[in-house]
Amino acid sequence: MEAGETGTRTYLGVPLYRPRVAFFEFSSCEGCQLQILNNESTLLDFLSLVDVVNFREAMTGGSDDYEIAFVEGSITRDDEVKRLKKIRKKAKTLVALGSCACFGGVNQLKNRFKDINKAKKEVYGRHPIDSEPVRTLEDIVKVDLKIYGCPVKKEEVEKIALHIAIGKSIVFPKYPVCMECKRNENICLFELGEPCLGPVTRAGCDSWCPNSRAGCWGCRGPADEPNMEQMKKIMEEYGFSEETIMDRLECFGGFSSLMGKGNTK
Amino acid sequence: MNPELKFTDVAAELYAPQKRKDDLKGFEYTYRAEITSIYPLTEMETLYRIQVVDPEERRRFAFTPGQFLMLEMPGIGEAPFSISSSPSIHGEVELCIRKVGNLTNFLPRVKRGTHVGIRGPFGTGFPMQNMHGQNVLLIAGGLGLVPLRSPIAYVMENRSHFRDVNIIYGTKNPSQLLFTYQYEIWRKDDIDIEIIVEKADKSWKGPSGLITDPLEDILSGRDSEYYHNTYAIVCGPPVMFKFVCNMLNEFHIPMQKMFVSLERRMHCGMGKCCRCNVGSTYTCLTGPVFDYWTVMNLKEAI
Amino acid sequence: MIFRTFEKQELKKLFEILAAHNRIIGPVETGRDRDGRPVYAFADVTDYDDVELKYSITKLPAKRFFLPFKEDLSTFRIENDTWQKEISYNVDRPLIFFGLHPCDINALNKLDKVLLHSVYPMPYYAAKRENMFIVGMDCIPQPYCFCRSMGSDTALHGFDMFITDLGSRYFVEILSNTAFNFLKNIKTSEPGEDDHVLYMKVVAKRNNEFTRHVDTTDLTKILDMEFQSEVWKEWGDKCLSCGTCSSVCPTCYCYGVDETVDIDLKGARKTKMLHSCNLIDFAEVAGGHNFRPGRENRLKYRYYHKHRGFVEAFEESLCVGCGRCGESCLADITVPEVIDSIRGSGRNK
Ligand SMILES: Cc1cc2nc3c(=O)[nH]c(=O)nc-3n(C[C@H](O)[C@H](O)[C@H](O)COP(=O)(O)OP(=O)(O)OC[C@H]3O[C@@H](n4cnc5c(N)ncnc54)[C@H](O)[C@@H]3O)c2cc1C
Ligand code: SF4
Ligand code: SF4
Ligand code: SF4
Ligand code: SF4
Ligand code: SF4
Ligand code: FES
């Protein structure tokens, strides 16, 4: 079936939209793209909903004719800026795939070092390459949709493809991870003496980390109107240092806009 | 003694005598209904006519003006909508739906003949029979005309039971006016109708201003005999019905004779999901139609 | 009511006989907290030695067995652009609950009022509730329990049998015929006058062990009077809007519904998920308007539902005083403290 063409496929009589999609990656681990490929039982269904014209992980060659661009990774170099702008021009819809693309991800941690050269040295040893402060896609181009997570959840990407096909809106939970964590009957990590950003982080990962007794690092960024001030107080009360808190909040970059701010509402 | 517990099937016939089996089954039961007509009214609103498929069920599906139903499109969503048609027609309803979210954006894309599920009718209605022999003010702002069409239909069909009937309807601008093709028909039934828009454009020939302007005109020309024998049904956004009801109150129309319809998030319509609570009152059970005295006493209402 | 006593080792025998033929849910230890205290949960048990009959309280109530956090209300088969709806109440076998404390039994009784004995009874709950066999067990009051203030420290009904530890042997109240028959499998005896005396002693001792109290006199009115109180704002500032309090509460039952299409487009489902009125989107409608935009609005509503609305409808509050919400709340928001502060805010004016 050709892209865009809906053929005979309908849902309750409403024709499906089958967009041409392309995947691109910048500075990232490509883990998000791998997520999408890793469940073979639903991969065919996924591929029947979208027409993938470019996917480096899965195919060689690839076409330049696409409607939706899924872009993974953050932007660190000049040539990347140019490439991203080119993609933006071609794509009707640009989707930031994963926390690197949305917030800078782990990459943006190097922005913490005041001296970028020092960061370069620490990361690349004696062979510094051209590397500027890490920027998110949104710092450079307009982003139409953000899919959070490091890595993204495969189910979520599949759901988005499905929603594009049938024309449902794409919504993420507004509440924090704790809600899912309780649904999964985990013992709260604070009770086990571990820090966790679950109370301020957007749910949707099905409390991935607490399920394996690891505290949340906030990879999906803040929930709607998170109570940052109280979160910090709790961390202090449970005996975690300012540094531990900052390490977590800064890890993926999702909280950078809330840093220093207390109550958001 | 046999230490194995036996499974009780609450859906089974045997269970029925003690435990109201039908009630249990009714909870998630949807009437299969067909969308028989789809008529775009404005850019945002579409009118759907929906008919219960099974003839026996169609006969049974009756409602009172002011009630709502839950409309379900499998996999897309389920949401409450006011019934916007005559209560004397059973098993067939008109719904006027504004595009705002998942379900409401999907519906305009379906074809005539599509099947949907409906549950209900739910909630309280306007006490039309109590209004017999009285004057009636039907006041709507914006989408509020949708729930008002059902009492309007009732009044038209029983015109001789009512004294003076006034419809006052206002929107922000002329392009938002709904059911423009019906105004003349209403007028022919000796119903006085005032249409007003907040912001007139070039094409608009009628009056512009707030909905309370024509209301004040109507009320100030009347005497206490009128005020004592008048009911009001007010539908629209909270700010609007607050101003309207305050004005009605100034003219000494009793608050128990003013009725408003509240809107809240709903997921069940049956007093279970708690999403529709105002203070601690269930909008889906005790409402959506409330008299204004009750609304004044609800915490969180306005 | 019929009473019996039996020797302690007989309980193990009863458990094993029941376990051989039925699925049993009981309190087990699932870990230790940072202070080394055991953490308990209700779980499937097959071995009597895993059952922690002297458990303090479970972190989560047994709610998931009769009000699952997530449950399909219906599924749809999608074919040729039309649909068939299929409804299942998602239960196919009875469950034995072994060792529920009075608070958790009373929680079920409260849920019954709204989910079974009001208009539109809920079949998903009814189906599971009808297939429960409950063995109640007396408890040791914990510092956070205020069930006595809520009138939930003893269970008068809602169980099949209720066991009280008399020290040397067990005392059992039998409410159902099924329980009576089950007990024929072990050696029991009619309690004598000395058992009665001992029972009353044990109960009196327990009554003295409650340390947490809350004054609920006129609470419905006070909540109305203090609707605008500044105190709500203070609690709202602390609240994380995380929903934990509702998740761990044995009586919270409200929910949201979500419809989804299967990725192969051949099916769809309507899923109910327990929600919490503290979550930001609880009262939000399409288009973005939120009827309770602030944290304090939502927290206040939680108290409104539990201590006012439910009381108006059913003459009792929707709180058994188990203290779970306060224990699990990272912001340390506890029911007794909130209620005290609301009462206090009136006094200070
Ligand atoms: C008693 C009553 C009568 C109504 N009558 C009409 C009408 O005649 N015409 C009309 O266009 N709209 C009406 N509404 C509003 C209508 O219910 C919402 O527009 C609709 O729920 C949006 O659903 P959605 O799936 O498109 O939006 P989404 O944002 O996808 O909503 C998801 C779900 O949230 C709930 N929800 C969201 N917004 C509302 C809301 N405003 N009210 C109740 N539940 C909501 C519903 O359960 C809905 O399925 C009425 C609401 C109520 C309470
Ligand atoms: S472990 Fe983290 S996510 Fe889970 S309840 Fe505790 S704070 Fe919330
Ligand atoms: S628990 Fe936190 S860090 Fe882990 S996947 Fe979820 S949002 Fe990311
Ligand atoms: S009261 Fe506590 S547990 Fe409940 S939502 Fe607020 S912070 Fe979370
Ligand atoms: S509100 Fe708190 S104390 Fe009351 S029943 Fe629920 S969890 Fe227990
Ligand atoms: S108190 Fe809140 S969370 Fe609990 S049942 Fe009521 S509405 Fe739901
Ligand atoms: S809509 Fe569910 S309780 Fe009213």
Side-chain angles (χ1 to χ4, degrees), chain B residues 3 5 7-8 15 24 27-28 32 72 75 78 115 263-265 272-273 275 277 279-280 282 300, chain C residues 22 76 83 85 114 118-120 123-124 130-131 253-256 259 270 282 284 291-292 301 308-309:
Chain B
L5 285 169
F7 179 66
T8 312
Y15 185 78
L24 288 179
F27 191 88
E28 190 47 39
R32 178 177 279 274
E72 178 172 36
E78 181 180 48
H115 282 187
E263 195 183 311
R264 285 296 183 279
R265 183 161 186 155
K272 297 292 175 276
C273 73
R275 303 297 283 269
N277 277 205
S280 51
Y282 291 94
E300 301 190 310
Chain C
N22 303 283
F76 298 91
W83 48 270
K85 184 168 181 160
V114 55
S118 65
V119 281
Y120 305 110
Y124 304 86
E130 283 301 313
N131 285 292
Y253 59 88
C254 63
Y255 62 90
E259 302 229 0
K270 181 181 188 185
F282 187 86
E284 195 182 67
F291 286 97
R292 292 191 201 100
Y301 168 70
R308 185 179 184 283

Side-chain angles (χ1 to χ4, degrees), chain C residues 46-103:
Chain C
T46 47
D47 187 344
Y48 183 72
D49 295 332
D50 292 339
V51 185
E52 295 285 345
L53 284 178
K54 288 277 166 224
Y55 74 110
S56 51
I57 193 168
T58 54
K59 281 286 161 203
L60 284 131
K63 190 160 77 172
R64 76 169 150 122
F65 296 101
F66 41 85
L67 273 181
F69 286 114
K70 199 172 175 179
E71 158 168 51
D72 283 344
L73 295 180
S74 58
T75 50
F76 298 91
R77 268 185 297 123
I78 311 285
E79 231 169 2
N80 303 327
D81 286 337
T82 188
W83 48 270
Q84 287 302 328
K85 184 168 181 160
E86 278 151 22
I87 297 169
S88 160
Y89 300 149
N90 310 316
V91 59
D92 57 5
R93 60 182 298 195
L95 282 184
I96 292 178
F97 290 82
F98 203 87
L100 287 196
H101 284 165
C103 56

Side-chain angles (χ1 to χ4, degrees), chain A residues 178 199 227 230 234, chain C residues 235-236 238-246 248 276-279 295 299 302-303 325-326 328-334:
Chain A
C178 292
N227 193 340
Q230 189 64 29
I234 290 165
Chain C
W235 292 113
K238 294 180 90 178
C239 178
L240 297 153
S241 293
C242 68
T244 289
C245 43
S246 313
V248 303
S276 164
C277 54
N278 273 326
L279 300 182
R295 289 193 282 264
L299 189 97
R302 185 173 154 81
Y303 284 82
C325 56
S328 284
C329 175
L330 289 168
D332 280 335
I333 301 173
T334 71

